[in-house]
Amino acid sequence: AGTTPREAAAPPPDLPGVKVASFNVRRLFDTTCDTGDCGPGAYEEAPSAERFSAKVSELAVAITRLRANIVFLQEVETRGCLDALKAQLPGLPNAYLAETDAPASVDVGILSAYPIAETRSHRGTAIPLPNGEPTAFTRDLLEAHITAPEGEIIAFVAHFRSKVNDDPDRRLAEARAARRIVLEAAARSPKTIVLLGGDLNDVPGSPPLEALGEGGALVRVSEGLPNLDIGTIRYNGGLLAIDHFFLARASAGIAVPGSFQVFREDSTGWGGSDHGAIRANFTR
């Protein structure tokens, strides 16, 4: 209440390319309590039908205001939640959720104005921790092949390990594995636009983001911009940039200069979330 929606680093409205956004919607739970623990202060919420409907409507308005052709989503519990959101977004009729099927899971998904020709899961991929022990992606690394006017886009939607009860080695392992998977896709499909985006739960200069950008094969789209223009979450009175896009340099994609943008309220995130949303334009 009392905040004014604003956009940081707003680009001119006529920039070319496909507009791709990423938005952590913050625990979009359905009305069913799957864990048996949904009381005050519990992680899982089991909202009333009225509260669920109100949250979906608030998010739908916020997503509409992103004016995006493709939206990467994080923290959606079930396909039913995604379908409820999609029903209020007629401009984004194609949707997919990479459900992990765990109780109260917060999963990654995608909404698209264009057909989703294929999806692939990387949830079961064994990835090594820095000490060599095996782990896996905290949530799925969703791979979606989208048929857009600019040509095929291979979109990887990510949500790396949170810093709550932190496990930085696992987040670093996720970054290294994601880099390998994205670059393999770019090598197989050099005529496509190949990008990774989502809530990576770390900031520029951190080991996971340095691992993603190692050797320059993946380029962070917001590279070189001031923190005020890329910060997506508030922490201890400041802004942290933890939501990002990375583009495979070997692919046919180009991030349109000046198009990276953060959507957030004056003192909070976007659309009732604690995260701001990000958007950038991609072309060939």
Side-chain angles (χ1 to χ4, degrees), residues 217-249:
L218 292 181
V219 180
R220 181 165 57 85
V221 173
S222 58
E223 187 74 46
L225 295 177
N227 190 65
L228 177 63
D229 289 344
I230 67 173
T232 54
I233 195 165
R234 295 190 182 274
Y235 181 73
N236 283 344
L239 278 170
L240 297 179
I242 64 173
D243 301 84
H244 306 278
F245 286 125
F246 279 81
L247 182 67
R249 191 186 293 274

Coordinates of all heavy atoms in Angstrom, one line a residue, residues 217-249:
A217 N 31.4 -17.6 -22.9 CA 30.5 -18.3 -23.8 C 29.1 -18.0 -23.5 O 28.2 -18.1 -24.3 CB 30.8 -19.8 -23.7
L218 N 28.8 -17.7 -22.2 CA 27.5 -17.2 -21.8 C 27.7 -15.8 -21.3 O 28.5 -15.5 -20.5 CB 26.9 -18.1 -20.7 CG 26.4 -19.5 -21.0 CD1 25.8 -20.1 -19.8 CD2 25.4 -19.5 -22.1
V219 N 26.8 -14.9 -21.8 CA 26.9 -13.5 -21.5 C 25.7 -13.0 -20.7 O 24.6 -13.2 -21.1 CB 27.0 -12.7 -22.8 CG1 27.1 -11.2 -22.5 CG2 28.1 -13.1 -23.7
R220 N 26.0 -12.4 -19.5 CA 24.9 -11.9 -18.7 C 24.4 -10.6 -19.4 O 25.1 -9.7 -19.7 CB 25.4 -11.6 -17.3 CG 24.3 -11.0 -16.4 CD 24.7 -11.1 -14.9 NE 26.0 -10.3 -14.7 CZ 26.0 -9.0 -14.5 NH1 25.0 -8.3 -14.5 NH2 27.2 -8.5 -14.2
V221 N 23.1 -10.6 -19.7 CA 22.5 -9.5 -20.5 C 22.6 -8.2 -19.8 O 22.7 -7.2 -20.4 CB 21.0 -9.9 -20.8 CG1 20.3 -8.8 -21.5 CG2 21.0 -11.2 -21.7
S222 N 22.6 -8.2 -18.4 CA 22.6 -6.9 -17.7 C 24.1 -6.5 -17.4 O 24.3 -5.6 -16.6 CB 21.8 -7.0 -16.4 OG 22.3 -8.1 -15.6
E223 N 25.1 -7.2 -18.0 CA 26.5 -6.8 -17.7 C 26.8 -5.4 -17.9 O 26.4 -4.8 -18.9 CB 27.4 -7.7 -18.6 CG 28.8 -7.6 -18.3 CD 29.3 -8.3 -17.1 OE1 28.8 -9.5 -17.0 OE2 30.0 -7.8 -16.3
G224 N 27.4 -4.7 -16.9 CA 27.8 -3.4 -17.1 C 26.8 -2.3 -16.6 O 27.2 -1.1 -16.5
L225 N 25.6 -2.7 -16.3 CA 24.6 -1.8 -15.9 C 24.7 -1.6 -14.3 O 25.1 -2.5 -13.6 CB 23.2 -2.3 -16.2 CG 22.8 -2.5 -17.6 CD1 21.4 -3.1 -17.8 CD2 22.9 -1.1 -18.3
P226 N 24.4 -0.4 -13.9 CA 24.5 -0.1 -12.4 C 23.5 -0.9 -11.6 O 22.4 -1.3 -12.1 CB 24.2 1.4 -12.3 CG 23.4 1.7 -13.5 CD 23.9 0.8 -14.6
N227 N 23.8 -1.2 -10.4 CA 23.0 -2.0 -9.5 C 21.6 -1.5 -9.4 O 20.6 -2.3 -9.3 CB 23.6 -2.2 -8.1 CG 22.9 -3.2 -7.3 OD1 22.9 -4.4 -7.6 ND2 22.3 -2.8 -6.2
L228 N 21.4 -0.2 -9.4 CA 20.1 0.4 -9.3 C 19.2 0.0 -10.4 O 18.0 -0.2 -10.3 CB 20.2 2.0 -9.3 CG 18.8 2.7 -9.3 CD1 18.1 2.4 -8.0 CD2 19.0 4.2 -9.4
D229 N 19.8 -0.3 -11.6 CA 19.0 -0.7 -12.8 C 18.8 -2.2 -12.9 O 18.1 -2.6 -13.8 CB 19.7 -0.1 -14.1 CG 19.6 1.4 -14.2 OD1 18.7 2.0 -13.5 OD2 20.3 1.9 -15.0
I230 N 19.5 -3.0 -12.1 CA 19.4 -4.4 -12.2 C 18.9 -5.1 -11.0 O 18.6 -6.3 -11.0 CB 20.7 -5.1 -12.7 CG1 21.8 -5.0 -11.7 CG2 21.1 -4.5 -14.1 CD1 23.0 -5.7 -12.1
G231 N 18.8 -4.4 -9.8 CA 18.4 -5.0 -8.6 C 17.0 -5.5 -8.6 O 16.1 -4.8 -9.1
T232 N 16.7 -6.7 -8.1 CA 15.4 -7.3 -8.1 C 14.8 -7.6 -6.8 O 13.6 -7.9 -6.7 CB 15.4 -8.5 -9.0 OG1 16.4 -9.5 -8.5 CG2 15.7 -8.2 -10.5
I233 N 15.6 -7.6 -5.7 CA 15.1 -7.9 -4.4 C 15.8 -7.0 -3.4 O 16.9 -6.7 -3.5 CB 15.3 -9.4 -4.1 CG1 14.4 -9.8 -2.9 CG2 16.8 -9.7 -3.8 CD1 14.3 -11.3 -2.7
R234 N 15.0 -6.6 -2.4 CA 15.5 -5.7 -1.3 C 16.0 -6.5 -0.1 O 15.3 -7.4 0.3 CB 14.5 -4.7 -0.9 CG 14.1 -3.7 -2.1 CD 13.3 -2.6 -1.6 NE 12.9 -1.7 -2.8 CZ 13.7 -0.8 -3.3 NH1 14.8 -0.5 -2.7 NH2 13.3 -0.1 -4.3
Y235 N 17.2 -6.2 0.4 CA 17.8 -6.9 1.5 C 18.6 -5.9 2.3 O 19.5 -5.2 1.8 CB 18.7 -8.0 1.0 CG 19.3 -8.8 2.1 CD1 18.5 -9.7 2.9 CD2 20.7 -8.7 2.4 CE1 19.1 -10.4 3.9 CE2 21.2 -9.4 3.4 CZ 20.5 -10.3 4.2 OH 21.0 -11.0 5.2
N236 N 18.3 -5.8 3.6 CA 18.9 -4.9 4.5 C 19.0 -3.4 4.0 O 20.0 -2.7 4.1 CB 20.4 -5.3 4.8 CG 20.4 -6.5 5.8 OD1 19.4 -6.8 6.5 ND2 21.5 -7.2 5.9
G237 N 17.9 -3.0 3.4 CA 17.8 -1.7 2.9 C 18.4 -1.4 1.5 O 18.3 -0.3 1.0
G238 N 19.0 -2.4 0.9 CA 19.6 -2.2 -0.4 C 19.0 -3.1 -1.4 O 18.1 -3.9 -1.1
L239 N 19.4 -3.0 -2.7 CA 18.9 -3.8 -3.8 C 20.0 -4.9 -4.1 O 21.2 -4.6 -4.3 CB 18.6 -3.0 -5.0 CG 17.3 -2.2 -5.0 CD1 17.3 -1.2 -6.2 CD2 16.2 -3.2 -5.2
L240 N 19.5 -6.1 -4.3 CA 20.4 -7.2 -4.8 C 19.9 -7.7 -6.2 O 18.7 -7.8 -6.3 CB 20.4 -8.4 -3.8 CG 20.9 -8.1 -2.4 CD1 20.8 -9.4 -1.6 CD2 22.4 -7.7 -2.5
A241 N 20.8 -7.9 -7.1 CA 20.4 -8.4 -8.4 C 20.6 -9.9 -8.4 O 21.7 -10.4 -8.4 CB 21.3 -7.8 -9.5
I242 N 19.5 -10.7 -8.2 CA 19.6 -12.1 -8.2 C 18.8 -12.8 -9.3 O 18.8 -14.0 -9.4 CB 19.2 -12.7 -6.8 CG1 17.8 -12.4 -6.5 CG2 20.1 -12.1 -5.7 CD1 17.3 -13.1 -5.2
D243 N 18.1 -12.0 -10.1 CA 17.4 -12.5 -11.2 C 18.1 -12.1 -12.5 O 18.4 -10.9 -12.7 CB 15.9 -12.0 -11.2 CG 15.2 -12.4 -10.0 OD1 15.3 -11.7 -9.0 OD2 14.5 -13.4 -10.0
H244 N 18.4 -13.0 -13.4 CA 19.3 -12.7 -14.5 C 18.9 -13.4 -15.8 O 18.2 -14.5 -15.8 CB 20.7 -13.2 -14.2 CG 21.2 -12.6 -12.9 ND1 21.8 -11.4 -12.8 CD2 21.3 -13.2 -11.6 CE1 22.2 -11.2 -11.5 NE2 21.9 -12.2 -10.8
F245 N 19.3 -12.9 -16.9 CA 19.3 -13.6 -18.2 C 20.8 -13.8 -18.6 O 21.6 -12.9 -18.5 CB 18.7 -12.7 -19.3 CG 17.2 -12.7 -19.2 CD1 16.5 -11.5 -19.1 CD2 16.4 -13.8 -19.2 CE1 15.1 -11.4 -19.1 CE2 15.0 -13.8 -19.1 CZ 14.4 -12.6 -19.1
F246 N 21.1 -15.0 -19.2 CA 22.4 -15.2 -19.8 C 22.1 -15.7 -21.3 O 21.2 -16.6 -21.5 CB 23.1 -16.3 -19.1 CG 23.9 -15.8 -17.9 CD1 23.2 -15.6 -16.7 CD2 25.3 -15.6 -18.0 CE1 23.9 -15.2 -15.6 CE2 26.0 -15.1 -16.9 CZ 25.3 -14.9 -15.6
L247 N 22.8 -15.2 -22.2 CA 22.6 -15.6 -23.6 C 23.9 -16.3 -24.1 O 25.0 -15.9 -23.8 CB 22.5 -14.3 -24.5 CG 22.2 -14.4 -26.0 CD1 20.9 -15.1 -26.3 CD2 22.3 -13.1 -26.7
A248 N 23.6 -17.4 -24.8 CA 24.7 -18.2 -25.4 C 25.3 -17.4 -26.6 O 24.7 -17.2 -27.6 CB 24.2 -19.6 -25.8
R249 N 26.6 -17.1 -26.5 CA 27.3 -16.3 -27.5 C 27.3 -17.1 -28.8 O 27.3 -16.5 -29.9 CB 28.7 -16.0 -27.1 CG 29.4 -14.9 -28.0 CD 30.8 -14.7 -27.5 NE 30.9 -14.1 -26.2 CZ 30.9 -12.8 -26.0 NH1 30.7 -12.0 -27.0 NH2 31.1 -12.3 -24.8

